[in-house]
Structures are given as structure tokens and as C-alpha cells.
Amino acid sequence: MAMLLSIIVPVYNRPDEVADLMASLREQTDSNFQLVLVEDGSTVPALPATLLADGSWKPDTDPGFNLKYFRKDNEGRSIARNYGIDRADGDFLVFVDSDCILPPRFVETLRNELARNPVDCYGGPDAAHEYFTPTQKAINFAMTSFLTTGGIRGKKKSMEKFTPRTFNMGFSRRVYDSVGGFREMFSEDIDMSTRIRNAGFSIALFPDVFVYHKRRGDLDKFWRQVHVFGMSRITLELLYPGSMKLVHWLPALFTIGAIALALGTLISKWMVIPLIIYLLALFIAALKSERDLKIAALAVAASMVQLFGYGTGFIKAYVSKIILGKGRDIQEEIEIRKGKNEKL
């Protein structure tokens, strides 16, 4: 019998997103999978369901596929994922976010890739669905373009070694038994991938195993998200000294450089030309990718949000945690790495 894949999804007050995700799962060409849906303290449950004697919930209507549904107190998405892992039946554990839609051949393609290349852990890219809003498509460009993130989120050409992320990643149960579960922290997926790699397990990018990822719906929420990403990169460096590479510095360097060029216009108006050239390159790349003038313009704005948001978060945390030594002590970060390899 073919290997059962358990798709584990934590959710918090996202019934509409879960409905879209489940609709995409009903369309899968390979039905040998299980969805483990964990409500992490949601006040608006995703499914009408009946509580069973074992503490699980049975949906009031047939979902059309193998589903395990749980509700628990709010403890965070990482704890919810670990909760789902411990209750999943599959030998290979797959993680997607509740705001993802899976292409019809997602499960089939993943199974074929694992048969050809039976790695311990995989990661895949994300894309924008044709029905996403212009802002969602623009944000997707900002997060996936080589011009903004260096291709580190699933491009074949990348400035840094590929790191799976929980909007589309998976690993064997043997990996979980060895390195433990996700930690409740920002950038928990990067932390998990790093622990998997450091433990000697194999990791691969499967470019054809992609998901449609809705991401944030507006630029204000997107700013707050990437600002936290920038700050969490410093935490990861404290946990794993030497893990921070040039590509992680680029948004901060861009932020400093852009401000310097803007101030330089007080001396010469020509100082702004490099920034204009970069913005034009972003617009052309987005127009070529999206074939829509409005989305291309929004993509430039989203790219600026991505770069400045991440860059300022990075700078803020670098100054606070590394230069000034404030916040969590470095030794405390190291103790987290040493002391939390058990299942959470």
C-alpha cells in the first residue's frame, strides 16, 4: 500500500480559508492522504462538528476525504502543529498554512518526487492563484522575486541554501522522533529546518510541488509580518552563530542605502538615480511575470514594504540584541537550542 501522507494544518479563526483549502483537497488526483486540522483556540471554528468521547471532533458533514479534526486551547501555531503530529497516522508529515490552496496534483506530485528522491525533508515554493486579488499577487511577487529575496523561498536560482518553510514543507516521522517538534517562536520553520539539517538528515527543494499562498491581504499587515521576520533573523543568528548570510543583510543594507541616497539628493539630484533604476527593474520584472500594469505597480510598492519592513526589523533587533545586548541574553538563546530538542 502506498505511503500515507498526513497534511497537518493549524488554524485560528480562519473558516473561509479552511473552506478553500478543503475544497482544493477534494480535487486531489491522489486520495491517499489525511488532513489533520487543529483549531488552536479558535472562537470561530472552521467546521460544524460533534465532540466525540476521545476528545476529537467529527464533522457534521462528510468532508470527502480522510480527516482528523481537533480543537484545543490557544497555545500558538507550533504547539498546534506538534499536537497534530502526535495524532496523525501518516509516516510522512506535510505542513501547509490555512491560507493555502493546493493544486489538484499536489499530493500526486509530492508522492512521485519522494519516490524518485526519498529525502528526509522537502520544501516547495508558493505561487499566486489567478483568482487572488491584485494586492495578494503583488505581495507574492515581493516575497518570491530574486530581485527582492534572492530566490531563497523556493527558486531554482538562489543566493543561499534552500530552507523549507511551513507554508509548504514536510518530513518523515523518523525526523520528528529524532529532532523533536516545532518551537513556539517566530521563524519556527527556519529553526526546524536548521535543526533537521544539523542532525544530518537530507533536505531537498521540490520545485514542482507548489502551493497557492494567499499571504496578507493588505500592505499594512504585510509590513508588520516582514518586520517581525527581520527581527527573528537576529534571534536565529543567536541560536545558530554563523547562519546569517549576505542575503539576510540585503534588506537592511538596502534600507540604509536608500535613505542615504534620498539624503544625498540634498547635494545632487542625481544621487537618486540608482534607486530609480532598481524600482524600474522591479516594475519590468513584475510586469513580465504578471502581465498587468496595476499589479506591476502594486508589486513595486509591496517590494518596498518587504525591503524596508524586513530591513528596519533586522536593524532594530541587531542594534538591540547584538550591539547593546538587550532583550533576551545570548546565553539564553543558546540554552534554548541545547535544551529544547525534545518534543514540545
Side-chain angles (χ1 to χ4, degrees):
M1 182 177 179
M3 175 177 62
L4 176 67
L5 304 178
S6 287
I7 302 173
I8 300 168
V9 182
V11 59
Y12 179 74
N13 290 341
R14 302 289 182 90
D16 293 340
E17 289 181 354
V18 171
D20 289 342
L21 171 62
M22 292 182 66
S24 71
L25 287 171
R26 293 188 191 97
E27 301 298 320
Q28 293 298 305
T29 56
D30 183 331
S31 61
N32 190 28
F33 67 89
Q34 171 190 69
L35 174 64
V36 181
L37 190 65
V38 182
E39 296 268 15
D40 185 39
S42 297
T43 57
V44 185
L47 300 176
T50 302
L51 179 64
L52 301 178
D54 64 359
S56 64
W57 294 79
K58 180 180 179 181
D60 293 344
T61 58
D62 183 5
F65 51 81
N66 183 354
L67 169 66
K68 279 192 170 184
Y69 183 46
F70 303 96
R71 297 180 189 172
K72 59 181 290 296
D73 293 338
N74 180 257
E75 296 178 279
R77 58 184 179 269
S78 291
I79 307 302
R81 289 191 187 101
N82 297 338
Y83 187 96
I85 292 172
D86 288 334
R87 290 156 180 79
D89 299 317
D91 293 320
F92 200 87
L93 311 166
V94 179
F95 304 89
V96 300
D97 288 342
S98 63
D99 59 352
C100 289
I101 296 173
L102 307 187
R105 296 174 64 88
F106 176 86
V107 174
E108 178 186 350
T109 305
L110 174 56
R111 190 182 304 282
N112 290 340
E113 290 288 352
L114 287 172
R116 283 192 290 264
N117 184 13
V119 295
D120 301 302
C121 174
Y122 94 93
D126 58 344
H129 196 282
E130 62 178 320
Y131 296 117
F132 284 4
T133 68
T135 300
Q136 288 173 326
K137 291 179 179 178
I139 290 175
N140 181 78
F141 173 85
M143 289 297 286
T144 60
S145 172
F146 188 87
L147 291 175
T148 53
T149 59
I152 63 175
R153 299 180 70 88
K155 296 293 185 182
K156 293 182 179 180
K157 294 182 179 179
S158 173
M159 293 180 64
E160 174 55 14
K161 186 180 296 183
F162 173 69
T163 300
R165 288 168 168 81
T166 46
F167 61 77
N168 184 11
M169 73 176 290
F171 47 78
S172 66
R173 188 169 292 278
R174 185 168 69 96
V175 168
Y176 177 64
D177 291 338
S178 175
V179 306
F182 292 92
R183 295 172 181 161
E184 188 55 35
M185 58 180 287
F186 292 117
S187 296
E188 74 281 359
D189 44 8
I190 300 176
D191 169 74
M192 185 67 173
S193 294
T194 303
R195 287 157 51 206
I196 291 172
R197 180 173 280 118
N198 289 349
F201 290 105
S202 57
I203 297 177
L205 165 65
F206 289 166
D208 295 329
V209 183
F210 67 93
V211 300
Y212 297 115
H213 196 185
K214 295 176 184 176
R215 300 189 182 279
R216 295 299 185 263
D218 62 67
L219 295 182
D220 182 58
K221 292 179 180 178
F222 182 47
W223 169 280
R224 294 197 294 270
Q225 180 187 44
V226 294
H227 189 75
V228 169
F229 286 170
M231 296 178 66
S232 65
R233 171 45 62 183
I234 302 304
T235 299
L236 289 166
E237 172 62 18
L238 296 176
L239 281 168
Y240 306 102
S243 64
M244 194 158 60
K245 307 301 181 183
L246 174 61
V247 66
H248 304 126
W249 280 89
L250 291 181
L253 296 176
F254 173 84
T255 299
I256 295 170
I259 294 173
L261 290 174
L263 293 174
T265 58
L266 298 174
I267 301 173
S268 170
K269 62 182 180 181
W270 303 109
M271 292 289 289
V272 78
I273 288 180
L275 182 58
I276 292 175
I277 293 174
Y278 179 66
L279 294 176
L280 183 60
L282 284 173
F283 180 80
I284 293 173
L287 185 61
K288 182 179 179 182
S289 172
E290 303 298 331
R291 301 183 183 278
D292 185 287
L293 286 171
K294 179 181 179 180
I295 296 175
L298 282 171
V300 174
S303 296
M304 292 300 98
V305 169
Q306 192 271 330
L307 291 166
F308 280 106
Y310 188 104
T312 54
F314 183 100
I315 294 168
K316 176 183 177 181
Y318 187 87
V319 171
S320 175
K321 290 191 172 185
I322 293 183
I323 295 179
L324 300 180
K326 295 181 178 179
R328 174 175 280 160
D329 183 77
I330 293 178
Q331 186 59 39
E332 186 179 349
E333 300 281 0
I334 294 174
E335 288 305 315
I336 290 175
R337 179 178 61 175
K338 290 180 178 178
K340 287 195 175 181
N341 283 337
E342 74 278 4
K343 297 178 187 177
L344 298 175

